[in-house]
């Protein structure tokens, strides 16, 4: 009896997963491919980097937690790549970003954990790259969320 109930549940799940498709009006027609999804809620699309990539190391050791270098200068269109060296976990989070820059910077941060917060990096040599394409000139503060209390901070100046 138990096996029959489980089989029935599995069969219903399969049927419902396969259902809902409408056949084409003419057997010779094929359904149109769905259009690429636009960002939800008016969000901006990510812009790929078109310039150089500047690498920053994330370090935690007997000297403390830090970005090396902590102050970076980029041109609009460049990319910032953070690489874990030691003292993980690490991430990058931007603070005090002007409203007119926030949406594009967020869009340029793949797999973000939250508002202007990149994904958590758990192992040595893991990296995370952020495009600064479409980002207007200015100075942008960032930190490592797990090590904010250790003053692990930096700035990106976009020219």
């Amino acid at each position: 009896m138990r096996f029959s109930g489980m089989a029935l549940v599995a069969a219903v799940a399969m049927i419902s997963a396969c259902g809902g498709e409408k056949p084409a009006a003419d057997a010779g027609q094929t359904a149109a491919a769905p259009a690429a999804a636009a960002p939800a809620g008016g969000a901006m699309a990510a812009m790929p980097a078109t310039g150089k990539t500047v690498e920053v190391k994330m370090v935690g050791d007997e000297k403390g937690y830090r970005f090396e270098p902590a102050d970076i200068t980029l041109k609009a269109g460049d990319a910032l790549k953070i690489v874990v060296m030691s003292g993980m976990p690490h991430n990058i989070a931007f603070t005090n970003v002007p409203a007119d820059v926030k949406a594009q910077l967020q869009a340029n941060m793949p797999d973000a954990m939250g508002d202007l917060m990149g994904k958590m990096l758990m192992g040595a040599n893991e990296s995370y790259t952020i495009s600064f394409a479409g980002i207007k000139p200015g100075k942008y503060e960032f930190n490592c969320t797990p090590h904010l209390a250790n003053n692990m901070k930096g700035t990106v100046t976009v020219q």
Side-chain angles (χ1 to χ4, degrees):
M1 197 50 100
R2 178 176 288 207
F3 177 77
S4 298
M6 290 175 57
L8 177 62
V9 170
V12 169
M14 287 177 52
I15 291 169
S16 65
C18 294
E21 292 289 323
K22 293 183 180 179
D26 181 324
Q29 291 180 338
T30 57
M44 300 188 91
M47 296 179 72
T50 56
K52 67 180 179 179
T53 298
V54 174
E55 191 171 294
V56 174
K57 296 176 181 172
M58 302 177 88
V59 180
D61 58 19
E62 67 281 350
K63 295 178 187 174
Y65 290 90
R66 64 198 176 278
F67 292 96
E68 290 181 349
D71 300 307
I72 301 103
T73 300
L74 302 173
K75 292 182 180 172
D78 287 349
L80 175 66
K81 179 180 180 181
I82 58 170
V83 181
V84 174
M85 304 309 290
S86 58
M88 47 278 195
H90 293 293
N91 76 339
I92 187 168
F94 289 88
T95 59
N96 303 318
V97 175
D100 62 339
V101 175
K102 187 176 180 179
Q104 188 61 63
L105 184 56
Q106 181 71 48
N108 290 355
M109 296 179 73
D111 303 319
M113 289 185 357
D115 227 16
L116 298 175
M117 185 181 297
K119 72 177 186 176
M120 195 65 63
L121 304 175
M122 304 300 284
N125 299 314
E126 279 190 78
S127 65
Y128 184 74
T129 303
I130 303 164
S131 168
F132 278 79
I135 305 300
K136 75 177 193 173
K139 193 170 197 172
Y140 303 98
E141 299 171 356
F142 62 87
N143 62 64
C144 172
T145 306
H147 301 111
L148 184 55
N150 301 100
N151 205 34
M152 190 170 176
K153 298 178 181 179
T155 60
V156 173
T157 301
V158 178
Q159 297 179 332

